[in-house]
Amino acid sequence: MPPSKFAQPPPPEAPPEAPPESPPEATSPPEVNSPPQGAAAQPPALPGGTSSSLATSLHVGHVVTDADPKPPVIYETLRHEDNVLEIEKFNLWYGPKQALFDVTMGVPRGKVTALIGPSGCGKSTLLRSVNRINDLIDHVRIDGEMKLLGQSIYARDVDVIQLRKRMGMVFQKPNPFPMSIFENVVYSLRIDGERRRGVLAQVCEESLRSAALWDEVKDRLTESALSLSGGQQQRLCIARAIAAEPEILLMDEPCSALDPIATGRIEDLIASLKGDYTILMVTHNMQQASRSSDYTVFMYLGNLIEYGPTIHIFTNPRLRQTEDYITGRFG
């Protein structure tokens, strides 16, 4: 019988079932060279072919991990200098935290000595200890000795006010007094009782000339010192400091707040002052230290690491740690 035209077509054949996938083969983790049992783990290699000795002294964040700092390297040249300031085994604590560790050094007469090192290394703390500004901070404790021209700075009978008159201090940010340019320069003479107008005028002119500022302000001496530019204010502060004829001039990053042109003028001024004045200067600027100083002190974590002629510190330091900082590997 012929098939009816109404009959349903046969259902399509189902595709053949795919064979079940086999699970992926287990792969073993890459082989790691483990140190022999009981051996100390070695520090990872640093990029750029850095030696393993540097790897042992640096880790992430570039913090030295050596528990026992090595003795400082002080060049033989310094032993023949006539020192204005002598520092011997000086330690300082802020409460329980020790900031300086057995710092021993001299500051040669008529030379510029630069203190360099990363932030927090103690260079500003050391500088401020010289004129005892740290006395104004609560819970500061010191141990050791500092002598200015053979006289103890921290002796019990020292008059701190008279001591600070023997030192000039220039801070990071210019701090002229809110008075005239003339009165700023002669301030130290005024508080000593000097009233002779001729003496005050002479000291004012000589100090401003020494600070390379006289030609710029000689017709404005009665104007407020606050009207000067930042660079002029800093040179005014230097003129005010040298008007008292200090035995040592302390500078705490004197160019950090200035533009390049004003910085160049301050550096020229520092060069003109050395010989007549002994200068101890803190700077974060490596180029400035290399241009302006005769001697350089490298400090790290409160320790004096290396101290010698600037040309040797910057071109051929004796310690790898100094070289790493100078070349920018940490800081």
Side-chain angles (χ1 to χ4, degrees):
M1 179 175 179
S4 168
K5 62 180 180 179
F6 298 106
Q8 296 296 324
E13 295 184 3
E17 293 184 5
E21 294 184 5
S22 58
E25 295 184 6
T27 58
S28 57
E31 190 173 334
V32 178
N33 293 327
S34 302
Q37 187 172 4
Q42 297 297 317
L46 297 181
T50 307
S51 68
S52 60
S53 63
L54 179 60
T56 60
S57 63
L58 302 177
H59 62 66
V60 176
H62 305 294
V63 177
V64 173
T65 60
D66 293 340
D68 299 319
K70 298 176 176 60
V73 171
I74 299 180
Y75 288 52
E76 185 67 25
T77 309
L78 285 154
R79 305 188 190 280
H80 305 291
E81 289 283 2
D82 175 24
N83 293 325
V84 169
L85 178 69
E86 293 278 1
I87 303 172
E88 185 175 356
K89 295 183 179 179
F90 192 80
N91 300 273
L92 184 141
W93 291 263
Y94 292 114
K97 178 178 175 57
Q98 188 167 0
L100 295 175
F101 298 83
D102 284 334
V103 176
T104 298
M105 59 175 284
V107 178
R109 182 187 299 276
K111 303 293 176 63
V112 178
T113 302
L115 299 171
I116 65 171
S119 296
C121 73
K123 54 189 184 296
S124 288
T125 295
L126 180 63
L127 186 83
R128 290 165 178 255
S129 297
V130 176
N131 68 351
R132 296 184 56 170
I133 289 181
N134 288 327
D135 289 8
L136 305 174
I137 302 174
D138 292 336
H139 310 299
V140 166
R141 179 167 57 92
I142 66 101
D143 180 47
E145 184 65 279
M146 283 190 182
K147 292 183 179 180
L148 180 64
L149 295 177
Q151 298 178 346
S152 176
I153 290 174
Y154 282 89
R156 291 183 180 275
D157 59 348
V158 168
D159 184 330
V160 178
I161 301 300
Q162 294 301 319
L163 173 70
R164 290 174 182 154
K165 288 181 181 179
R166 300 169 61 190
M167 306 176 187
M169 183 74 190
V170 179
F171 295 92
Q172 295 180 24
K173 186 177 179 180
N175 60 341
F177 300 146
M179 53 182 66
S180 71
I181 296 169
F182 180 87
E183 292 299 334
N184 263 270
V185 177
V186 302
Y187 182 78
S188 61
L189 281 74
R190 290 281 198 196
I191 62 176
D192 277 342
E194 181 62 64
R195 294 292 181 267
R196 291 172 293 177
R197 187 70 185 182
V199 173
L200 296 176
Q202 181 180 355
V203 170
C204 178
E205 180 175 348
E206 290 176 353
S207 300
L208 288 172
R209 286 189 183 277
S210 296
L213 191 58
W214 174 253
D215 290 337
E216 299 174 39
V217 301
K218 61 183 179 182
D219 299 323
R220 304 170 54 191
L221 296 179
T222 58
E223 295 182 16
S224 171
L226 303 179
S227 66
L228 299 175
S229 68
Q232 289 175 326
Q233 287 184 8
Q234 192 68 306
R235 281 182 285 155
L236 177 65
C237 293
I238 295 174
R240 185 178 65 201
I242 63 180
E245 298 183 344
E247 292 159 8
I248 187 169
L249 188 57
L250 308 174
M251 295 185 171
D252 190 1
E253 298 186 59
C255 303
S256 63
L258 304 181
D259 60 71
I261 295 176
T263 295
R265 290 178 177 172
I266 296 294
E267 290 181 5
D268 291 342
L269 172 55
I270 292 171
S272 69
L273 292 176
K274 71 178 180 180
D276 296 327
Y277 296 92
T278 301
I279 299 174
L280 182 61
M281 174 178 69
V282 168
T283 180
H284 272 297
N285 188 321
M286 295 298 96
Q287 291 76 23
Q288 182 178 81
S290 65
R291 289 190 300 262
S292 301
S293 66
D294 301 294
Y295 291 103
T296 296
V297 181
F298 170 52
M299 297 184 66
Y300 191 69
L301 296 179
N303 293 280
L304 191 158
I305 305 299
E306 188 167 353
Y307 180 17
T310 295
I311 188 171
H312 293 305
I313 295 292
F314 280 87
T315 60
N316 189 27
R318 295 181 185 175
L319 297 181
R320 179 63 182 269
Q321 194 177 6
T322 307
E323 180 183 347
D324 290 339
Y325 179 72
I326 293 294
T327 56
R329 292 184 182 176
F330 75 100

